[in-house]
Amino acid sequence: MSLSPPLKTELMNIFFDESGQDSDKPSTMGGLLIPSSVYKTAEMMELNRRLESRELKLHWTEYTGHSGLKDNIIEAIITFSKIARFTRMNVINYNRSTLDWRYKLSGDPASGKLEKRERQRQLNYATLMVYTKIPERIFYGLLRNFGKDVYIKTDIYIEKEGKYEKYDLEKRLRENLNTQSLYRAEQFWVTDCQMVSKGEMIGVELVDLLLGIIRLIINNKPIPPGLSLEEYSTLKIKGLYMKTKLVIELLKIPSFYNFISGIKYFEWDSHKELAEVTFKDYLDLFMANHYREFL
């Protein structure tokens, strides 16, 4: 039986980042797929130019109320919101402690009590799994199910990290995803997978912002109302207070609210399969806790 070639090849970009580790939970990884046709619009490329020239600064964890950083974040989200309906985002919230516990059950010498130098030398399979298999699942989910009459070619961009380089992440992901595509008869191909330094690509910086916003919504930490900034600072929650106010402001942008409420969100603990969770449930709870701000 002969197979008909797809009618059209589409070019895509996927941007990847992670947020939250160990005690700073939830631990999340996220991938954002943006078609090249909308990623390369004049507005997005202007943001990218300003980012590279250091005119535009975007770093979620550093925001504690500085007006310049706030303006930059809002500008980036407003610009992204104009193309958000054409994008896809997958996020996985995973429990690393479960992986370490299950690895100890293996009885592998590397999981026992060894000298510090020896433990560092040994390959940590749990860490390898986190930084290869979870991103792979994110990318695979973003690239499949586009329909039989379209073929997807994509480049993947990952923020440069020593741990990613240690496990040769770009090569592993490209080979594994393309192998899966052939084995499962999927209509996608990863043309390139590379690491980029922070501040080089607006797509990667957007994932950093989006994961920060998503984690804040999931945590939904209570904030005592009616205090001064000095009092919030004394309680060591000024940063949380200012980030929460900023998220509320961003959620009032209809196109951004629609994007956030529609992301594909999964949770993984110790089960065989990822559990897909409706992220809008988390979002509704967050907004209910601040309902007066949305009236």
Side-chain angles (χ1 to χ4, degrees):
M1 182 181 69
S2 61
L3 297 176
S4 300
L7 299 177
K8 183 73 183 298
T9 296
E10 295 287 351
L11 304 180
M12 301 285 179
N13 300 289
I14 295 179
F15 306 95
F16 173 85
D17 203 356
E18 64 171 321
S19 182
Q21 299 178 43
D22 302 324
S23 60
D24 184 24
K25 295 181 179 181
S27 300
T28 57
M29 292 186 179
L32 178 65
L33 181 143
I34 307 179
S36 293
S37 56
V38 293
Y39 183 67
K40 293 182 179 179
T41 59
E43 286 182 297
M44 290 292 290
M45 290 300 94
E46 175 60 14
L47 279 184
N48 203 83
R49 183 198 67 78
R50 291 173 55 205
L51 182 73
E52 289 182 300
S53 65
R54 303 296 184 263
E55 296 173 42
L56 186 76
K57 183 178 180 182
L58 300 171
H59 202 296
W60 182 256
T61 58
E62 291 182 8
Y63 178 65
T64 58
H66 186 274
S67 59
L69 181 52
K70 177 184 178 181
D71 291 343
N72 286 345
I73 292 172
I74 291 174
E75 181 184 1
I77 293 298
I78 288 176
T79 302
F80 168 71
S81 295
K82 296 176 182 178
I83 64 166
R85 60 179 294 191
F86 308 112
T87 72
R88 293 182 176 186
M89 187 171 191
N90 284 4
V91 176
I92 294 180
N93 176 350
Y94 66 94
N95 188 345
R96 171 59 194 266
S97 61
T98 299
L99 290 172
D100 291 333
W101 178 78
R102 292 182 68 82
Y103 180 47
K104 288 179 181 179
L105 292 178
S106 68
D108 190 294
S111 66
K113 292 183 178 180
L114 302 175
E115 294 293 331
K116 182 177 181 181
R117 184 174 297 177
E118 179 66 9
R119 284 184 60 83
Q120 290 176 341
R121 188 185 68 82
Q122 299 257 9
L123 178 64
N124 188 321
Y125 291 99
T127 301
L128 179 63
M129 184 271 182
V130 167
Y131 293 116
T132 56
K133 289 302 179 183
I134 294 180
E136 183 181 319
R137 291 295 299 270
I138 288 172
F139 301 146
Y140 183 70
L142 289 170
L143 290 168
R144 63 198 295 260
N145 295 332
F146 268 94
K148 69 179 182 62
D149 287 325
V150 64
Y151 193 83
I152 302 299
K153 286 188 177 180
T154 191
D155 293 333
I156 296 175
Y157 300 96
I158 301 167
E159 185 171 313
K160 186 175 292 185
E161 286 271 2
K163 57 198 171 190
Y164 298 156
E165 294 174 312
K166 176 181 178 181
Y167 295 113
D168 203 7
L169 190 60
E170 313 113 290
K171 182 179 178 181
R172 285 179 185 269
L173 286 173
R174 185 169 179 264
E175 289 179 350
N176 291 352
L177 286 164
N178 287 338
T179 299
Q180 281 202 58
S181 178
L182 293 173
Y183 177 72
R184 299 177 183 271
E186 299 285 357
Q187 297 196 165
F188 70 79
W189 193 257
V190 178
T191 306
D192 190 22
C193 183
Q194 59 178 284
M195 293 189 208
V196 296
S197 298
K198 184 160 187 63
E200 283 189 1
M201 296 198 78
I202 189 62
V204 174
E205 303 304 317
L206 281 169
V207 179
D208 176 76
L209 290 180
L210 292 170
L211 287 179
I213 292 167
I214 288 165
R215 292 180 66 242
L216 185 139
I217 290 170
I218 294 170
N219 276 319
N220 200 12
K221 293 181 179 178
I223 300 173
L227 302 183
S228 66
L229 289 180
E230 290 74 15
E231 288 171 319
Y232 285 123
S233 182
T234 300
L235 293 173
K236 298 183 178 180
I237 57 171
K238 180 187 172 185
L240 173 63
Y241 171 73
M242 297 304 295
K243 285 184 176 72
T244 300
K245 284 180 64 67
L246 178 53
V247 169
I248 290 169
E249 186 172 345
L250 294 173
L251 289 174
K252 293 178 182 179
I253 304 170
S255 53
F256 184 66
Y257 169 82
N258 291 337
F259 169 79
I260 285 290
S261 61
I263 65 170
K264 289 281 189 178
Y265 173 77
F266 303 87
E267 295 180 344
W268 187 91
D269 199 338
S270 60
H271 305 290
K272 292 182 180 179
E273 299 294 333
L274 290 170
E276 184 170 0
V277 177
T278 303
F279 187 73
K280 189 175 181 298
D281 291 342
Y282 279 113
L283 183 57
D284 288 346
L285 290 171
F286 174 83
M287 294 178 69
N289 278 357
H290 304 279
Y291 76 96
R292 293 187 183 278
E293 302 277 355
F294 292 97
L295 293 178

